[in-house]
Amino acid sequence: MPSAVVFAYHSVGVRSIKTLLARGIDIKLVVSHEDSATETIWFESVAALCEERGIARITPDNPNTPEVIAQIAALQPDFIFSFYYRNMLSNDILALAKRGAYNLHGSLLPKYRGRVPVNWAVLHGETETGATLHEMTVKPDAGAIIGQTAVPILPDDTAFEVFGKLTVAAEQTLWNALPAMIAGNAPRIPNDLSKGSYFGGRKPEDGRIDWTKSAQDVYNLHRAVAPPYPGAFTDINGKRFIIEKARLINHSTTKVPANLPQGLSVVDNVIFGVCGDGKAIEILALQHEGKTMDEAALKLLFA
């Protein structure tokens, strides 16, 4: 039975660990993260799964220390896998896998290498993304591709909804690739980085709305960071408003009142976000101080 050390977090980590077990992989150790008190935990728990299945788990702040490396080396794993683990792994760790180290990434590599690929893909208005299983190298998301599964991004999908699709796509990709990996004859497709792109992480401040941009751009920002992510926001008179739900207005079927200024306006209890191209989004739910606002509160705040 092939053995593995798994670096895992998030729902993709949970589903991928279950997939390895279903394919007969002996998981010797899981390296994960402690949940952060400052983060909204909306995803499945690797910790709970390891406790349920009796799998040893550690949560070092830095996995690349001599102590952790020695612990993994003593296990002599055939494979090392990384499933939405947030730290980079050193070459000293990757070299411990006798049959290779592999990562699942939430894009169709080589596009959207780097951090939070789902959010970036939605922000840029992509109509497709996917999950990619690839060999790990010290350079992020740069190793040969073992398998990919594509999923659609529908026009109104939020990043949260796309992430749900990618969790299934990741499971499918890993399930389909494992037999050949175990047999030692998995395909290795070159990962041509010249045809791709790299993006860094995003901060809550990156959700600030620039109302001079087009309505489509503003709507894409909303979809990319909509709750449970921190949300697209705008400040009015020192008060912060976060868009919870919105839709892009079809101006051929919906009339937007004329001469509204850029930004948020309330007309007949409807909240419009008017953008730089003269088009608008309709805000279906707006948060202020952590609460969804009702009509009375809207009238007072926008009076």
Side-chain angles (χ1 to χ4, degrees):
M1 177 184 295
S3 65
V5 169
V6 179
F7 294 76
Y9 194 59
H10 223 290
S11 299
V12 170
V14 169
R15 298 305 308 175
S16 298
I17 289 172
K18 289 182 176 181
T19 301
L20 293 180
L21 294 173
R23 281 297 196 192
I25 301 293
D26 178 18
I27 300 177
K28 299 291 190 181
L29 177 69
V30 168
V31 186
S32 191
H33 305 287
E34 295 291 352
D35 293 337
S36 171
T38 63
E39 183 177 359
T40 301
I41 306 301
W42 51 267
F43 39 82
E44 294 181 87
S45 171
V46 166
L49 175 63
C50 289
E51 183 176 359
E52 175 191 329
R53 299 296 181 97
I55 302 171
R57 183 181 72 100
I58 60 173
T59 56
D61 291 335
N62 178 8
N64 299 303
T65 62
E67 294 77 13
V68 175
I69 292 171
Q71 185 175 358
I72 295 172
L75 297 173
Q76 300 183 335
D78 293 306
F79 297 102
I80 286 175
F81 292 98
S82 179
F83 306 130
Y84 271 69
Y85 187 72
R86 293 174 172 176
N87 294 343
M88 294 296 296
L89 304 182
S90 68
N91 193 58
D92 289 337
I93 288 181
L94 301 183
L96 296 175
K98 291 181 287 186
R99 300 172 66 175
Y102 302 90
N103 176 58
L104 266 172
H105 184 72
S107 78
L108 295 175
L109 291 177
K111 296 182 69 175
Y112 295 99
R113 295 170 52 238
R115 301 288 186 180
V116 294
V118 175
N119 306 78
W120 282 114
V122 174
L123 180 70
H124 285 92
E126 298 285 356
T127 59
E128 183 182 65
T129 189
T132 300
L133 180 67
H134 66 94
E135 291 182 322
M136 274 196 285
T137 64
V138 174
K139 190 171 185 177
D141 310 321
I145 294 169
I146 307 302
Q148 290 184 322
T149 303
V151 300
I153 302 177
L154 304 183
D156 296 315
D157 278 346
T158 65
F160 172 73
E161 291 169 321
V162 176
F163 196 92
K165 300 180 190 183
L166 282 185
T167 301
V168 177
E171 180 180 319
Q172 292 174 327
T173 302
L174 183 62
W175 175 263
N176 291 333
L178 276 170
M181 294 171 69
I182 294 169
N185 56 14
R188 283 166 170 75
I189 303 165
N191 188 1
D192 187 351
L193 303 190
S194 68
K195 296 180 179 178
S197 51
Y198 182 88
F199 292 89
R202 293 184 61 81
K203 306 179 293 296
E205 179 62 24
D206 295 328
R208 183 181 295 276
I209 299 168
D210 180 356
W211 293 108
T212 66
K213 292 192 172 183
S214 71
Q216 184 67 65
D217 285 345
V218 171
Y219 186 55
N220 287 348
L221 173 63
H222 155 64
R223 296 193 301 126
V225 297
Y229 297 103
F233 67 88
T234 190
D235 293 337
I236 301 174
N237 299 327
K239 299 181 177 70
R240 176 152 298 182
F241 301 91
I242 298 173
I243 298 176
E244 185 178 344
K245 295 180 182 178
R247 69 180 181 92
L248 188 64
I249 291 177
N250 182 340
H251 285 255
S252 65
T253 59
T254 303
K255 279 280 191 179
V256 176
N259 302 319
L260 292 179
Q262 287 181 8
L264 295 184
S265 293
V266 180
V267 180
D268 295 331
N269 296 324
V270 177
I271 312 173
F272 295 100
V274 181
C275 304
D277 58 356
K279 297 181 179 180
I281 61 173
E282 180 182 346
I283 314 300
L284 304 175
L286 191 67
Q287 290 183 0
H288 175 58
E289 296 182 343
K291 297 179 180 178
T292 301
M293 302 177 65
D294 59 22
E295 292 180 5
L298 287 173
K299 288 178 181 177
L300 287 174
L301 287 168
F302 286 93

